[in-house]
Amino acid sequence: MANDIGKAMARLKHRDIRTRRRAVRTLFEHDDPSVLQAFKPLLDDDDTWFVSKALDAYRTWGLLSGSEAIETLLNHRNLDVRRAGANLLAPLGQPGVPLALVALDDEDNVVQRKAARALLLAEDADVAERLAQHRSDSIRATGMGHPALPEPTLRGGLTDPHEGVRVAALKTALKRSVDAHRLPWMRTV
């Protein structure tokens, strides 16, 4: 078995495409997370089939391999690869929080939103503040739902220039039963 895996890993670099495809299938048949590193070069392959299989490998074994595997995806130049990495942030849990914080600054808003959703699981007021102060209104709206968001920041979300953020802040305020007289727009009542 180990011999088969070693041969298959070596054949991933073969010139013949059929040999390379057989090697990929062999590695998947053995279902061994330790081979994930062999798929890393395939993320840059010109053939989309190999890129797709490399992403399948990361989806299958990435969480078992730890945050380094997800970081590989998030730091990739290809947008689809970064998005695949962002999809794995929430299932990664607490070890994914530092990666999700970095992904908040990605140029792609889909990666940013997935990172924000992953950060909702972090029970940290600093993380909640970072979401609530983000430049993107969709990230701020997500941040309004963070369980660790301090009440003053939540009240500030009620006066945000973007309606979606205000609605999200109001929903959270109502869920938390925030004192209505402390809400800025209820003071005149």
Side-chain angles (χ1 to χ4, degrees), residues 6-173:
K7 284 181 184 177
M9 288 173 66
R11 288 183 178 151
L12 286 175
K13 298 175 184 170
H14 199 275
R15 285 185 315 194
D16 182 29
I17 194 166
R18 292 175 306 214
T19 302
R20 292 176 66 211
R21 287 185 184 212
R22 251 182 274 135
V24 167
R25 285 191 288 275
T26 300
L27 291 174
F28 272 104
E29 286 170 6
H30 286 290
D31 195 23
D32 184 357
S34 68
V35 301
L36 184 61
Q37 199 61 25
F39 283 93
K40 186 176 178 180
L42 297 181
L43 292 170
D44 295 315
D45 202 279
D46 294 334
D47 188 330
T48 57
W49 187 88
F50 289 106
V51 175
S52 170
K53 293 303 174 188
L55 288 175
D56 287 346
Y58 274 89
R59 286 184 197 107
T60 303
W61 301 310
L63 295 175
L64 298 172
S65 297
S67 58
E68 299 82 22
I70 311 309
E71 185 176 15
T72 297
L73 298 177
L74 290 170
N75 291 333
H76 202 272
R77 61 181 166 75
N78 182 303
L79 176 61
D80 292 329
V81 174
R82 289 197 319 273
R83 286 181 175 178
N87 282 332
L88 296 172
L89 286 171
L92 190 56
Q94 196 62 32
V97 169
L99 296 175
L101 286 168
V102 171
L104 274 180
D105 296 327
D106 193 275
E107 62 191 32
D108 181 54
N109 62 359
V110 173
V111 172
Q112 291 175 2
R113 285 195 310 266
K114 289 174 188 286
R117 284 191 211 112
L119 289 170
L120 289 177
L121 303 173
E123 297 178 17
D124 184 353
D126 290 339
V127 170
E129 288 283 352
R130 176 127 181 238
L131 291 172
Q133 304 302 323
H134 198 271
R135 69 185 177 280
S136 166
D137 53 270
S138 65
I139 302 302
R140 288 195 312 275
T142 300
M144 291 299 127
H146 197 289
L149 189 69
E151 189 175 315
T153 306
L154 179 61
R155 279 189 262 123
L158 293 166
T159 59
D160 192 274
H162 192 271
E163 181 182 1
V165 177
R166 293 191 306 266
V167 168
L170 179 59
K171 285 181 181 178
T172 301

